[in-house]
Amino acid sequence: MTARTVTTLPAATQDETVRCLLAIELSKTSWIVAVNTSLSDKISRQTFKARDWKGLLELIGRLRARVSREFGRAVEVISCYEAGYDGFWLHRQLEAHGIRNHVIDPASLQVDRRARRAKTDRIDAERLLRSLMAHLRGEPKVWSVVRVPSEAEEDARRLHRERERLIAERVAHVNRIKGLCALHGIYDYEPMRCARRAQLERLRPVHGDELPPGLKAELERELTRLEVVLEMIATLEAERDAIVSEEAPTHRNADKIRVLHRLKAIGPEFATVLVGEVFYRGFDNRRQLGSYVGFAPSPFQSGERAREQGISKAGNPKARRTMVELAWLWLRYQPDSALSIWFRERVGSMKGRIRRITIVALARKLLVALWRYLETGAIPHGAVLKA
C-alpha cells in the first residue's frame, strides 16, 4: 500500500549522498515501516512480525542497493521510532549497521486535537515519517529526540532502580499483612520487626483464642515473601554503600557518587540516584538541566490572559522527586548555606502552599548548584562537607 506525499527535501548534488527515510511503528504483534526514497514521491509501507530486525535490515539493504543503482551515488539511510516498551536495543542494532536512527519522545509529536480522531498504526507510521522529513528540512521544534544512553550507562542505573521496586514490594507485603490482621481486630502487629515470627505465634483475635488456620498460613506465606524482599534490599544496599566506602569501587559512576557524597545532607542513596539519573550525562547550561528534570516553567498566555502553570513536570520523575526530598533535607543539615538562607528569607514562618511552591524553586537551584559542583568543583556557597 502507498500514500502520496510531497517531498521537499533539498535536492542532492552529484557529489552528495541520496537519502532513504524510514519510520518504524513498533508494537508487540507487528512492526509497520513507512518508507520514502528519492525514487518516488509516495510513502510505501511494509509490515513485519514484531522483533523481526533481520527482516528490517534486509529491507533496508534492498532499498539501499536499488537507490544506489538508480542514482549511482552513496545512500544514507535515516530511520526513527518512538521510545517505548522496546527500549533502545533496536536503535543500537540500526546504528551498528550504518543507519542513522532517531529515538523520539512520543509526547513531543504533534497530533490532531479533535476530540475523536482516526488513530491506527498505519497513520502513526506515516505521520512519524512526515515528522522525520520536517526535521531533516530544518524545521524547529518538530519533535524531541531522546538521548540514548550507552549499555554501560543503562546498566549502572539498575542498582537504585531495582531497590525502588523492591521497596514498593516491601510496602505492599507489609500493608497486606496489616490488612489481614485488621480483619480480626489486630492492630499492633509490626511485620518489619526482627521478632515477626515469634510475635505471630502470640497473636490472638478479638473473637477467639487462636488465629484461623487459613489466615495464619497466609500470614506465614506473606512473611516469607517479605523476608525474601528484605534480604534482596539488604544486598543491594550493601553494594550501594560499598561505592562510597571501598577504596577502589568498580561502579561506573563511582567518582561522581563519592564526590557528591562528601556534601552533608547527601547520603549514598541520594548520591547514587542523582548521578545515575541526571549527572551521568553532560548538559550545556542550567536551563537544559532544569528541563531534563522537569523543573522548567510552563507559562500560559492567550490574548489578555496570562498566568503561570507551574513547572512542566515533563522530565525525569524519579530525579525530580529525589531533588524535592533533598531540598527538605538541605534545609535541615545545611542551615547556614546560601540556599537555605534564601528559602527562609522568602518563606519565613509561613506554611502550606507557598512553602511547597518555594521548596520546588529551592530544589531547582540546588540541582544547578550540585551540577556546578560536579563539573567545576565549586562547593555550593556556605555548604559544609562531611568530616
Side-chain angles (χ1 to χ4, degrees):
M1 298 177 66
T2 59
R4 187 172 296 276
T5 185
V6 178
T7 304
T8 58
L9 295 176
T13 64
Q14 188 66 28
D15 297 330
E16 291 179 342
T17 59
V18 182
R19 285 173 171 172
C20 180
L21 309 181
L22 293 87
I24 311 167
E25 180 67 21
L26 306 177
S27 71
K28 294 181 181 180
T29 56
S30 64
W31 289 359
I32 297 180
V33 182
V35 181
N36 178 255
T37 68
S38 300
L39 298 174
S40 173
D41 61 349
K42 297 179 180 180
I43 294 177
S44 61
R45 292 183 298 275
Q46 301 285 336
T47 302
F48 297 92
K49 292 182 179 180
R51 300 175 297 280
D52 185 11
W53 59 272
K54 292 183 180 180
L56 176 62
L57 291 177
E58 290 174 0
L59 169 66
I60 293 173
R62 293 195 301 269
L63 291 172
R64 180 179 278 161
R66 182 182 172 191
V67 174
S68 178
R69 185 172 58 251
E70 187 71 23
F71 290 92
R73 295 198 297 270
V75 179
E76 181 185 22
V77 181
I78 306 174
S79 63
C80 64
Y81 69 88
E82 296 178 4
Y85 182 82
D86 290 279
F88 304 117
W89 69 268
L90 179 59
H91 169 83
R92 297 186 182 111
Q93 285 285 351
L94 294 172
E95 291 280 340
H97 287 81
I99 300 161
R100 181 151 64 100
N101 185 69
H102 300 291
V103 182
I104 309 305
D105 177 8
S108 67
L109 291 169
Q110 297 180 5
V111 297
D112 195 335
R113 295 173 59 188
R114 285 180 288 190
R116 183 172 294 178
R117 62 182 178 89
K119 198 277 181 197
T120 64
D121 288 344
R122 176 184 61 82
I123 294 174
D124 289 345
E126 292 178 4
R127 183 180 290 116
L128 191 60
L129 182 60
R130 292 190 176 94
S131 297
L132 176 60
M133 294 176 180
H135 174 71
L136 296 176
R137 287 196 299 267
E139 294 185 18
K141 298 182 178 180
V142 175
W143 57 24
S144 295
V145 179
V146 176
R147 180 193 178 278
V148 179
S150 66
E151 287 187 89
E153 289 172 339
E154 265 196 310
D155 196 61
R157 297 175 176 175
R158 301 196 182 280
L159 181 63
H160 65 268
R161 289 188 175 183
E162 183 182 0
R163 180 183 179 275
E164 182 183 33
R165 289 191 296 271
L166 289 174
I167 293 294
E169 288 185 37
R170 185 190 70 185
V171 171
H173 289 310
V174 170
N175 289 344
R176 176 60 178 165
I177 292 170
K178 289 188 174 183
L180 290 172
C181 292
L183 292 175
H184 294 268
I186 303 170
Y187 296 95
D188 57 350
Y189 182 56
E190 295 296 337
M192 286 295 294
R193 293 180 178 174
C194 296
R196 61 182 73 89
R197 295 280 184 178
Q199 189 180 1
L200 176 63
E201 297 297 330
R202 296 192 298 267
L203 289 183
R204 296 294 181 266
V206 174
H207 54 76
D209 296 333
E210 297 288 340
L211 290 175
L215 172 64
K216 187 175 181 180
E218 184 174 357
L219 287 173
E220 289 175 344
R221 288 191 293 269
E222 283 290 343
L223 287 176
T224 301
R225 298 187 189 101
L226 176 61
E227 288 165 352
V228 171
V229 171
L230 291 175
E231 182 180 353
M232 291 180 178
I233 292 174
T235 301
L236 290 176
E237 290 179 346
E239 183 179 346
R240 176 204 64 193
D241 295 343
I243 298 174
V244 297
S245 61
E246 291 182 351
E247 293 185 2
T250 58
H251 194 275
R252 175 185 175 86
N253 299 320
D255 292 339
K256 288 186 176 181
I257 293 173
R258 290 160 75 97
V259 170
L260 205 57
H261 183 259
R262 291 175 57 203
L263 285 170
K264 200 173 181 180
I266 300 181
E269 180 63 18
F270 277 6
T272 305
V273 172
L274 290 177
V275 173
E277 297 291 339
V278 183
F279 299 129
Y280 73 95
R281 53 161 293 182
F283 296 93
D284 295 334
N285 51 59
R286 58 187 175 84
R287 291 183 179 86
Q288 191 180 88
L289 172 64
S291 178
Y292 175 77
V293 181
F295 282 146
S298 54
F300 175 88
Q301 190 275 329
S302 179
E304 297 180 353
R305 294 181 299 169
R307 62 185 177 88
E308 273 292 340
Q309 302 178 108
I311 60 173
S312 66
K313 297 186 179 180
N316 189 313
K318 181 169 181 57
R320 187 168 59 252
R321 290 193 305 268
T322 302
M323 280 309 307
V324 173
E325 292 176 17
L326 179 57
W328 288 113
L329 290 174
W330 190 267
L331 294 176
R332 176 184 296 180
Y333 294 104
Q334 299 278 10
D336 298 327
S337 67
L339 290 174
S340 297
I341 295 172
W342 175 89
F343 180 86
R344 290 196 299 269
E345 287 176 349
R346 281 153 181 79
V347 175
S349 60
M350 290 187 291
K351 300 184 182 298
R353 184 171 181 270
I354 187 65
R355 194 174 185 86
R356 294 193 298 271
I357 292 175
T358 312
I359 200 66
V360 175
L362 175 63
R364 186 186 186 280
K365 287 179 173 291
L366 179 57
L367 177 68
V368 174
L370 295 179
W371 170 60
R372 288 173 176 161
Y373 170 57
L374 288 175
E375 293 294 322
T376 66
I379 300 173
H381 187 65
V384 179
L385 298 178
K386 293 173 183 172

